[in-house]
Amino acid sequence: MTFTESTLFRDCALSGKKAGNKEVTAETYQAVWKALQAWVESQFLIKKGCHITGMCSLTWRRSGSSKEGLLRPAFVPVEAFIKSNNIQWRGLCPAPNELVSCEDINFAKIAIRFSQDLNKDMVFTCSRHMFSKIGSAIATGTDVKIDFKVGTLFGKDRKIDFAFSSEFSRARCTPSQDMGDASATIAPQTSPSMPPGRGAVPAEATTKVDTMAVTARLTGAPAPLSFREVKERKASARQQKACLPGKHSPAQVFAPAR
């Protein structure tokens, strides 16, 4: 039988742990785990990592040249977690300068920003208990499969591994963004020299192109053409067509465009 999140919540609730003066139920453990998942995902979406004290770091590793700005997800278990549970991990630990900045787990922040009914004590007590239970389950050789939202933690025969979801298999980020939120570059750009009216580019259209450009940088796809580039290419194509021999007179070829 595989040890999953539902098994984790049930086993933790049976242990009779208390947060304050209240016994913690399986539903509370589930709510804490969902808040934890939301925090991890929010960090990955802004191309930053998270450090789960006493267990692991889920973060991004820089690879390739700085010009390419290629990031790949990285799972780095804490040495104390490996040794205390006597488990094995065959992965390679990246050099510290290859990893983007990580945010340490903040129980108060998780309770306030990513839940409605939880408080700091609940998140602290439940999180630490669940991390301990996961380690104990892997240590016994049980098959473990725990969803962290950005990927899945696997345990088998006292060995651990982590598989990131395809959505976070890699990303691109330019040095000027300092690994920050790419959405900051999506704000619509307007030209003060171009008053509204004929020939002006609608703000919505500009925003759409900027958004596509950001997406292209992150996924490695070719960047879309700007409106000016499209207009210039169309004009060049018309001019080349007009200059084809045998179709137009010299007067028509050099006639100004209307």
Side-chain angles (χ1 to χ4, degrees):
M1 180 178 176
T2 304
F3 186 91
T4 62
E5 301 96 80
S6 58
T7 316
L8 174 65
F9 306 147
R10 185 192 64 224
D11 287 2
C12 286
L14 290 174
S15 65
K17 282 275 186 181
K18 291 186 177 182
N21 296 322
K22 296 182 179 179
E23 282 198 8
V24 186
T25 64
E27 288 74 19
T28 303
Y29 281 104
Q30 183 178 13
V32 170
W33 192 258
K34 284 186 176 180
L36 179 69
Q37 287 177 319
W39 169 64
V40 172
E41 184 181 36
S42 71
Q43 287 294 105
F44 263 60
L45 289 174
I46 61 173
K47 307 302 174 290
K48 290 187 177 180
C50 47
H51 178 68
I52 300 174
T53 308
M55 188 175 182
C56 67
S57 290
L58 297 171
T59 184
W60 294 95
R61 182 173 72 88
R62 302 181 184 92
S63 63
S65 67
S66 57
K67 184 177 180 180
E68 292 173 343
L70 185 64
L71 300 175
R72 295 190 183 279
F75 165 73
V76 184
V78 173
E79 186 177 0
F81 180 78
I82 297 292
K83 288 185 175 181
S84 62
N85 293 293
N86 194 24
I87 55 183
Q88 299 179 38
W89 175 62
R90 300 192 178 216
L92 297 176
C93 187
N97 62 345
E98 292 180 349
L99 301 176
V100 303
S101 60
C102 281
E103 179 180 276
D104 288 331
I105 188 169
N106 186 317
F107 303 105
K109 176 181 177 180
I110 292 174
I112 294 171
R113 290 190 55 185
F114 301 102
S115 75
Q116 295 180 347
D117 305 317
L118 301 174
N119 57 45
K120 177 184 176 181
D121 289 340
M122 286 181 177
V123 176
F124 174 80
T125 300
C126 294
S127 296
R128 298 295 292 270
H129 192 196
M130 286 190 287
F131 300 153
S132 176
K133 277 286 185 183
I134 292 171
S136 298
I138 298 172
T140 61
T142 305
D143 287 355
V144 174
K145 183 180 179 182
I146 303 294
D147 181 20
F148 275 80
K149 193 68 173 181
V150 299
T152 304
L153 176 71
F154 292 94
K156 186 178 181 64
D157 298 331
R158 300 174 70 177
K159 300 174 184 176
I160 60 168
D161 197 3
F162 196 95
F164 286 93
S165 63
S166 57
E167 180 185 357
F168 298 105
S169 61
R170 69 174 184 172
R172 288 185 182 276
C173 193
T174 61
S176 61
Q177 290 173 316
D178 193 25
M179 305 305 172
D181 187 355
S183 64
T185 64
I186 302 178
Q189 302 293 323
T190 56
S191 173
S193 61
M194 183 182 290
R198 186 175 181 181
V201 179
E204 312 84 55
T206 308
T207 307
K208 183 177 180 181
V209 169
D210 290 343
T211 306
M212 291 170 62
V214 171
T215 304
R217 285 199 300 272
L218 295 176
T219 60
L225 297 175
S226 66
F227 285 96
R228 177 177 292 181
E229 290 172 328
V230 172
K231 187 176 180 180
E232 289 176 351
R233 290 197 177 191
K234 287 184 177 180
S236 177
R238 286 197 299 268
Q239 185 176 2
Q240 291 178 5
K241 184 177 180 181
C243 292
L244 291 176
K247 287 194 174 183
H248 302 280
S249 66
Q252 289 175 318
V253 170
F254 296 101
R258 296 183 179 273

